[in-house]
């Protein structure tokens, strides 16, 4: 599709991503940092983001083999960690060939590794379930798992990894419980370890250890539930932009859009922008969700359609067809849009549709 055929695109600021990665490194100066680029770099374009970070990144983390191989095929030679490990034993041959590092989080994966016959030693990080209760071995099982892999001739590097459930709530007692359970699992063994997601990178030095895993912070979003000064220097990395494609004037009492959710309480100038839920804009965004048109703040009015939204242009008589609309970016924080819509910025970014061109700047 011609990128100019519809006035909608996501502008990706690679300089901002590099800046945010440097904040992650400065926040944990004794640790190496894996840039998390799973889910197409949270919707920002995994290949372009990885290439932009490759000169200074210590490595990358992805969810699955397909994402890792995409990076290898694009020329990324740095360490790549498979956060979910492999899903079938035959994937181990590709892990071996591509020289990937993988998480081992269940008995089946352990058995597959022990039975493998790779050409080079496999690098395995044992997932400890310290309280997230999603995947991982119970803390009490770590010693036996570590011994089994350590005794295996074709297993080389061994590490330990866990994931915080509430690091976005600094000071919550569950954080300390997870830290204690993880350390208890290791039993004093000198094992290379990785605990810190973005929130822990910025607020929990005790969890920095050998490797950190900055994710959402790379894309300029605070990882914290509440405002936190440690996130103040992050720069937004995505600007989602459209344009006004229609303007109309409605009288008081007129309903607007599907279901007539919004009813004009005054003479209302309505603008229509070319973006909708098929493009990743949240369908459940309510009236009043912030937007900016021609650099000025305004609000969403009416229910989001598949391809279009409506916004309030009252008092902006100089704004007409072609005027730029920012859905989120430097003038409209993505976190505020997400909060209004009852979701999180992660979902906004990863929900960007295939028909939204990504324009990478600062290559």
């Amino acid at each position: 599709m011609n990128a100019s055929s519809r006035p909608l695109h996501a502008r990706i600021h690679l300089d901002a991503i590099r800046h945010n990665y440097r904040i992650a490194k400065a926040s944990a100066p004794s640790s190496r940092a894996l840039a998390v680029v799973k889910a197409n770099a949270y919707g920002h374009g995994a290949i372009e983001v990885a290439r932009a970070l490759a000169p200074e990144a210590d490595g990358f983390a992805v969810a699955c083999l397909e994402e890792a191989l995409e990076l290898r095929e694009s020329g990324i030679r740095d360490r790549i960690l498979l956060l979910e490990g492999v899903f079938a034993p035959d994937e181990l041959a590709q892990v071996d060939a591509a020289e990937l590092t993988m998480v081992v989080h269940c008995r089946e994966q352990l058995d597959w590794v022990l039975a493998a016959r790779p050409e080079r030693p496999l690098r395995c990080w044992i997932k400890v379930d310290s309280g997230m209760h999603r995947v991982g071995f119970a803390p009490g099982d770590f010693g036996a798992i570590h011994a089994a892999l350590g005794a295996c001739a074709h297993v080389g590097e061994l590490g330990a990894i866990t994931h915080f459930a509430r690091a976005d709530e600094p000071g919550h007692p569950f954080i300390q419980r997870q830290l204690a359970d993880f350390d208890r699992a290791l039993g004093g063994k000198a094992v290379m370890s990785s605990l810190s997601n973005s929130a822990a990178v910025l607020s929990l030095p005790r969890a920095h250890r050998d490797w950190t895993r900055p994710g959402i912070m790379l894309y300029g979003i605070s990882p914290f539930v509440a405002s936190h000064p440690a996130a103040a220097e992050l720069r937004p990395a995505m600007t989602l932009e459209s344009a006004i494609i229609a303007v109309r004037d409605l009288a008081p009492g007129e309903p607007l859009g599907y279901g007539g959710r919004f009813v004009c309480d005054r003479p209302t100038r309505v603008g229509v922008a070319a973006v909708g839920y098929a493009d990743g804009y949240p369908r459940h965004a309510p009236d009043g969700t912030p937007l900016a048109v021609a650099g000025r703040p305004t609000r969403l009015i009416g229910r989001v359609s598949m391809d279009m939204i409506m916004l309030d242009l009252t008092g902006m008589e100089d704004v007409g067809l072609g005027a730029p609309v920012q859905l989120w970016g430097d003038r409209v924080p993505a976190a505020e849009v997400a909060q209004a819509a009852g979701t999180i910025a992660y979902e906004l970014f990863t929900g960007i549709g295939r028909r939204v061109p990504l324009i990478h700047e600062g290559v």
Side-chain angles (χ1 to χ4, degrees):
M1 184 184 74
N2 187 331
S4 65
S5 63
R6 187 165 175 248
L8 176 65
H9 58 265
R11 200 174 297 278
I12 309 301
H13 312 290
L14 296 173
D15 285 340
I17 295 175
R18 283 188 284 260
H19 167 82
N20 297 335
Y21 180 82
R22 289 166 191 156
I23 289 178
K25 288 287 290 182
S27 299
S30 298
S31 306
R32 288 177 287 179
L34 294 171
V36 181
V37 294
K38 65 180 180 177
N40 196 30
Y42 294 46
H44 292 67
I47 291 174
E48 292 83 0
V49 169
R51 284 175 173 168
L53 289 176
E56 57 191 288
D58 300 313
F60 300 93
V62 298
C64 57
L65 181 63
E66 292 83 358
E67 292 178 340
L69 295 181
E70 177 185 55
L71 295 185
R72 284 285 186 254
E73 290 163 5
S74 71
I76 300 300
R77 305 316 312 162
D78 308 272
R79 177 190 292 264
I80 301 176
L81 172 67
L82 300 178
L83 290 167
E84 296 175 23
V86 295
F87 302 110
D90 58 5
E91 290 187 346
L92 288 171
Q94 292 172 287
V95 169
D96 179 22
E99 299 185 66
L100 305 175
T101 305
M102 63 179 173
V103 164
V104 177
H105 65 70
C106 63
R107 294 280 175 179
E108 290 80 5
Q109 289 180 338
L110 174 64
D111 291 341
W112 299 339
V113 168
L114 295 177
R117 293 296 179 265
E119 294 185 6
R120 58 187 63 79
L122 296 172
R123 295 187 290 194
C124 300
W125 289 13
I126 303 166
K127 185 67 172 278
V128 177
D129 179 10
S130 61
M132 183 78 168
H133 298 326
R134 194 169 57 181
V135 294
F137 295 99
D141 293 336
F142 176 82
I145 305 301
H146 184 268
L149 289 171
C152 183
H154 58 263
V155 172
E157 177 183 276
L158 269 179
I161 183 172
T162 197
H163 192 66
F164 288 111
R166 307 191 74 154
D168 56 345
E169 304 172 69
H172 196 286
F174 198 73
I175 299 170
Q176 298 306 318
R177 174 183 150 181
Q178 285 196 258
L179 268 168
D181 285 350
F182 181 82
D183 288 338
R184 191 176 304 114
L186 269 57
K189 295 182 179 68
V191 181
M192 183 179 64
S193 58
S194 175
L195 295 84
S196 293
N197 56 7
S198 291
V201 167
L202 293 173
S203 68
L204 198 60
R206 275 190 61 205
H208 288 165
R209 310 296 171 90
D210 300 288
W211 289 88
T212 63
R213 307 189 306 276
I216 193 64
M217 68 176 292
L218 297 180
Y219 309 104
I221 298 296
S222 170
F224 300 108
V225 172
S227 176
H228 196 289
E233 298 303 316
L234 298 176
R235 296 179 186 169
M238 179 189 289
T239 302
L240 184 63
E241 299 172 319
S242 184
I244 298 294
I245 62 169
V247 178
R248 65 192 60 250
D249 294 292
L250 296 180
E254 286 296 318
L256 186 62
Y258 285 118
R261 183 182 74 183
F262 180 84
V263 178
C264 300
D265 61 358
R266 60 181 179 176
T268 303
R269 191 163 193 252
V270 179
V272 179
V275 63
Y277 61 78
D279 305 299
Y281 195 81
R283 180 177 179 271
H284 297 293
D287 297 328
T289 298
L291 300 159
V293 59
R296 286 177 272 176
T298 186
R299 59 176 180 153
L300 177 77
I301 51 177
R303 189 173 294 168
V304 174
S305 303
M306 182 180 287
D307 312 295
M308 292 177 280
I309 61 169
M310 294 162 286
L311 54 152
D312 192 352
L313 296 181
T314 305
M316 299 184 187
E317 281 69 24
D318 58 322
V319 172
L321 264 62
V325 176
Q326 185 178 115
L327 292 314
W328 57 72
D330 59 343
R331 294 183 178 274
V332 184
E336 292 184 10
V337 177
Q339 183 177 28
T343 184
I344 55 178
Y346 300 71
E347 187 173 25
L348 296 186
F349 294 157
T350 59
I352 293 295
R354 292 177 57 190
R355 60 182 183 170
V356 180
L358 300 183
I359 301 173
H360 291 89
E361 299 178 339
V363 176

